[in-house]
Amino acid sequence: MARKSDDDPLSRLEGLAKAGDFASLGEILCKENMPHVRRRSMELLFEMNNSDAFEILADVASGPENGLNEEILNGLKAKPGEHSLCALSRVLSSENSLRRAYTITLISQRDEAPALAMLLRGTRDPMKAVCKIAERALHQRVHRNPLALAKLPRESIAGIVAMMSLELAQELLDPKYPSSIRAEASRRLAVASGAEAVTTLMSLSSDSDPILATAAWEGLNIIKDLPATFLLPYLADRRDEFRRQGLELFSKTCGRESVPIVAGLLKDPSAGVREEAIRTLHKLLGDESTPMIKKLMGDPEVSVRRVVLRTFLNVNSARAEIIQMVAMERGPLHDAALIVAARKEIFVKELADDYLAFLERHSSETSQTSDVIDAMAAIAKILGEVNEPRALSGFAALCKTTSRRLRRIGIESVLAFPESQRGDILASLVDTHDRAMLASLALALALAKDHRATIPLIRTYMECGGRPAKSAGEYLQNDSKVGDVDVLIKFLSNQWASVRRFAAEKLKNSKDDRVIDPLLKASEDEDTEVQLASIEALSSFAKNHQQVAERLIHACSQGDITVRQAAVEALGNAQIVEAVPNLIKALHNIFLRPRATEALKKVGGRQGYLALKRLQRRELLFGNRNKAKKVKKKMLD
């Protein structure tokens, strides 16, 4: 009898419920063939009364028909709390439209605030009939208890109020409702009523609640064809912000007949109102507004003068006024005036010093705004076109900026000057990491037959590619310095690694003993390429100079593999007997073995011969380990 009890499916369900195994109960609810077992599983899940159990029930209710779908939905509806309500919302994703419609009906009967947001989701259902049911339920709930909206997020309130009728929206403007509801109602009124809502919105814009006042202003901005006469009271309001916002709205609908009114506001005590009046006048009159706006060039407020300056940027006849503001202003606004002058390509002799100072001041900045970069480019163009001699230093400053665009403009501007004027500037810029600029500098110096062109040409030849490197190579072939041993020795200590490498490579064919010590020093250079070139250049001296042989022996034991390979090869060519122990050690390095083998054969001697024989016999008896590993891996693959 005990065994029978253990095999009883209902007893098993009770055990799962006590263990809190809701996942297994859910699986039985979905797959069990016996109706009474499925029902008991459903009941136990409801008794567990937690969010996980309710989610499983909701998923089952959303799925195919199993005879319990409607009963599960009713059970979730009857369970109080947000967990059951969230479970009902999951059913809104069901593929069965009838089930979604029934779920909306059940959600509408719940009193919790989140039910409104779920009904709003139902109004976006792909099935129109379901949308209608959700809309009707939502209207009924809001009419019955509008204050429930206050518990929802702003986005949900906005979505619900947008669906409400105008009558209800006007009702929600009542002060008894929270500002969040009234604000959305005012927006709804502006969208639906248009100009008819102006009076209401204007009164709400004066509300002490900032949320409601802001929403009313936004609503007024939404309305198209807003009558300008309605806004005249705002322009005389005692509050500064109201006058400013009122003028902003007024500017959208007023015409040229309103110019006297707007011009009068140029004398308003509020800086914000004066700024808006400037913008409005320019909008109404265009260039004709300049005589009125120029009166505010001396305004005590920096923000007002900045608006004047920005307005002049869009005025064709304000050249003299912009020049005057450059002379008047100091600090950031002075720079702003220069930027406007540069963008309008204005140049007079009085502006030359200011332009040059601007270039010098901003060229050292690591991060420049797009306006500053545009202005510097425009200034370079202006000064280049008038061939201002003092501009060379400014162009040199551009060549040192972090902006590639400005560096290109700077070098192009410098190259536009005669060779007699630009030589010193070009020579001062050769310590650059910009390869394109380096090539331009080197070739320009070489074309002018400047004695300072050699190092830039070497750098161009070694660091650049393509046509610039080819042209630099052609110039170097005709340069007598390149073949001078003393000059090449000096180049071995140059600050640029490419120049040191060039010198070392050129000294490979030299037989002059004076190059030994500089090359020994260069063989320990921090740059690997310089080390390699120096080792190769020293190889011809190894046989007759003990210190060179010792350096090569040391180099073949440590350091970069390419340098070690060159040292091993040089020791073999020089037949250095003292290097045999080191060459034998090199046999055990797979990257050095081929060269070490050849080197030992060239050196000769019994010690090297026996080492090679031992290596050959070991490989014959035990095989090549690397080869064996590759074969084994291939077999496994």
Side-chain angles (χ1 to χ4, degrees):
M1 293 294 292
R3 183 179 181 83
K4 184 177 180 181
S5 176
D6 290 342
D7 292 338
D8 183 8
L10 296 179
S11 300
R12 181 168 172 268
L13 291 178
E14 298 292 342
L16 292 173
K18 288 181 181 179
D21 192 352
F22 51 82
S24 298
L25 288 172
E27 187 176 354
I28 293 171
L29 179 58
C30 294
K31 298 180 180 180
E32 180 59 51
N33 293 325
M34 301 172 66
H36 70 286
V37 175
R38 291 206 313 273
R39 180 174 295 280
R40 182 55 184 158
S41 177
M42 177 192 72
E43 292 170 354
L44 290 172
L45 284 169
F46 271 117
E47 290 174 7
M48 294 177 78
N49 199 30
N50 61 45
S51 59
D52 294 323
F54 287 162
E55 284 183 9
I56 290 175
L57 289 167
D59 291 340
V60 173
S62 303
E65 182 62 43
N66 60 9
L68 295 175
N69 304 73
E70 189 172 339
E71 191 170 346
I72 291 173
L73 290 174
N74 288 326
L76 289 172
K77 181 257 177 183
K79 285 283 184 180
E82 291 189 5
H83 292 321
S84 59
L85 188 59
C86 290
L88 279 174
S89 71
R90 292 172 68 91
V91 186
L92 294 178
S93 301
S94 172
E95 295 181 0
N96 190 317
S97 59
L98 293 176
R99 202 164 297 152
R100 296 199 304 271
Y102 185 66
T103 303
I104 287 172
T105 303
L106 296 178
I107 291 173
S108 67
Q109 298 172 17
R110 299 288 294 261
D111 295 329
E112 294 93 332
L116 288 173
M118 294 174 188
L119 290 174
L120 178 62
R121 177 185 168 190
T123 62
R124 298 159 186 163
D125 194 275
M127 185 71 69
K128 289 186 178 180
V130 178
C131 290
K132 291 292 183 183
I133 295 172
E135 288 176 7
R136 192 182 310 113
L138 192 59
H139 278 276
Q140 291 172 353
R141 283 291 303 273
V142 174
H143 274 284
R144 189 165 64 246
N145 183 20
L147 285 172
L149 291 170
K151 300 178 181 179
L152 297 177
R154 179 187 175 279
E155 294 76 11
S156 297
I157 297 174
I160 293 172
V161 172
M163 298 174 57
M164 298 294 104
S165 62
L166 283 176
E167 291 77 9
L168 179 58
Q170 289 176 336
E171 181 185 338
L172 295 177
L173 292 172
D174 194 287
K176 68 180 180 181
Y177 295 110
S179 58
S180 57
I181 298 177
R182 298 175 68 198
E184 297 305 327
S186 67
R187 292 189 180 96
R188 163 67 173 148
L189 196 65
V191 172
S193 299
E196 297 177 2
V198 172
T199 304
T200 304
L201 293 174
M202 287 179 68
S203 63
L204 291 174
S205 66
S206 304
D207 198 276
S208 58
D209 189 325
I211 297 176
L212 184 57
T214 302
W217 279 113
E218 290 176 1
L220 287 169
N221 275 286
I222 291 172
I223 298 173
K224 297 180 180 180
D225 301 325
L226 186 65
T229 52
F230 280 34
L231 298 168
L232 290 176
Y234 279 111
L235 304 183
D237 196 280
R238 58 182 178 81
R239 289 164 291 189
D240 295 346
E241 185 60 19
F242 270 58
R243 294 198 304 279
R244 188 197 67 77
Q245 290 180 316
L247 182 55
E248 184 180 351
L249 289 173
F250 186 75
S251 66
K252 295 180 179 180
T253 56
C254 67
R256 293 176 70 96
E257 68 280 355
S258 303
V259 168
I261 298 174
V262 179
L265 292 173
L266 291 174
K267 300 177 182 179
D268 194 276
S270 169
V273 176
R274 297 199 298 275
E275 293 169 21
E276 195 60 45
I278 293 169
R279 286 189 281 264
T280 304
L281 274 177
H282 181 255
K283 179 182 176 181
L284 293 174
L285 299 177
D287 289 4
E288 297 177 21
S289 63
T290 303
M292 288 181 277
I293 294 175
K294 67 182 293 185
K295 296 177 182 177
L296 295 180
M297 288 168 52
D299 194 277
E301 293 293 334
V302 174
S303 60
V304 176
R305 301 200 302 275
R306 190 178 297 277
V307 174
V308 171
L309 188 58
R310 289 174 181 168
T311 305
F312 285 160
L313 179 61
N314 300 313
V315 174
N316 297 322
S317 58
R319 179 187 175 93
E321 287 77 10
I322 293 172
I323 296 172
Q324 186 179 348
M325 289 198 75
V326 171
M328 290 170 50
E329 297 296 342
R330 296 292 180 270
L333 200 56
H334 174 73
D335 279 4
L338 277 174
I339 290 173
V340 172
R343 289 177 63 179
K344 294 184 76 67
E345 299 183 358
I346 298 173
F347 179 79
V348 292
K349 290 183 178 180
E350 292 78 8
L351 288 179
D353 290 335
D354 291 307
Y355 278 153
L356 292 171
F358 186 91
L359 292 179
E360 292 285 351
R361 188 164 56 253
H362 290 283
S363 60
S364 59
E365 295 177 352
T366 55
S367 57
Q368 297 141 332
T369 64
S370 58
D371 286 342
V372 171
I373 291 175
D374 291 341
M376 293 174 78
I379 290 171
K381 179 183 176 183
I382 293 168
L383 296 178
E385 288 177 350
V386 298
N387 288 324
E388 171 62 43
R390 295 176 299 165
L392 276 169
S393 59
F395 296 151
L398 284 185
C399 294
K400 297 176 183 179
T401 62
T402 56
S403 168
R404 181 179 297 179
R405 175 189 171 194
L406 290 179
R407 291 199 300 270
R408 186 181 69 249
I409 292 171
I411 191 63
E412 289 174 354
S413 301
V414 171
L415 293 176
F417 279 77
E419 293 178 358
S420 58
Q421 296 181 15
R422 71 191 188 193
D424 292 339
I425 294 295
L426 292 177
S428 69
L429 297 172
V430 294
D431 290 340
T432 179
H433 293 275
D434 187 328
R435 293 181 180 179
M437 191 168 82
L438 171 65
S440 299
L441 292 168
L443 296 177
L445 287 170
L447 186 64
K449 298 181 180 180
D450 194 307
H451 67 281
R452 295 168 290 188
T454 304
I455 289 179
L457 284 172
I458 292 174
R459 288 189 59 207
T460 302
Y461 177 70
M462 300 296 288
E463 298 176 21
C464 303
R467 186 174 298 176
K470 183 179 179 181
S471 300
E474 292 172 355
Y475 278 115
L476 288 172
Q477 287 179 357
N478 301 321
D479 192 337
S480 58
K481 294 180 183 178
V482 173
D484 191 329
V485 173
D486 292 326
V487 173
L488 291 174
I489 290 173
K490 184 178 179 181
F491 284 170
L492 284 175
S493 58
N494 190 271
Q495 62 171 322
W496 298 103
S498 58
V499 178
R500 300 197 298 272
R501 178 159 62 96
F502 177 85
E505 290 177 354
K506 282 290 182 181
L507 290 172
K508 286 179 184 178
N509 300 322
S510 176
K511 304 300 180 182
D512 194 330
D513 289 351
R514 292 179 299 164
V515 305
I516 293 176
D517 289 336
L519 284 173
L520 285 172
K521 184 178 179 181
S523 68
E524 298 178 359
D525 195 277
E526 61 182 12
D527 187 87
T528 303
E529 297 292 334
V530 177
Q531 292 179 29
L532 178 60
S534 301
I535 291 293
E536 291 174 347
L538 284 167
S539 62
S540 60
F541 298 97
K543 193 167 187 177
N544 300 321
H545 295 81
Q546 182 64 27
Q547 71 269 35
V548 176
E550 291 174 355
R551 174 68 187 113
L552 293 177
I553 291 171
H554 179 74
C556 74
S557 303
Q558 61 183 6
D560 186 82
I561 195 64
T562 57
V563 177
R564 295 172 67 186
Q565 288 172 342
V568 167
E569 189 173 347
L571 289 169
N573 291 334
Q575 298 179 337
I576 306 299
V577 178
E578 294 83 355
V580 169
N582 295 80
L583 294 174
I584 292 172
K585 289 182 181 179
L587 290 173
H588 301 288
N589 187 313
I590 190 173
F591 298 105
L592 298 177
R593 181 178 298 174
R595 287 178 172 81
T597 301
E598 293 298 322
L600 286 169
K601 290 178 180 179
K602 290 179 181 179
V603 174
R606 182 173 177 79
Q607 187 180 4
Y609 172 79
L610 291 176
L612 290 172
K613 279 295 182 181
R614 283 195 299 271
L615 181 63
Q616 184 179 5
R617 184 177 294 275
R618 187 183 299 114
E619 289 185 351
L620 183 64
L621 292 174
F622 303 106
N624 189 311
R625 291 185 179 181
N626 290 327
K627 185 176 180 180
K629 287 181 181 178
K630 290 180 180 179
V631 172
K632 184 177 179 181
K633 184 178 179 182
K634 188 174 181 181
M635 292 174 64
L636 291 174
D637 293 343

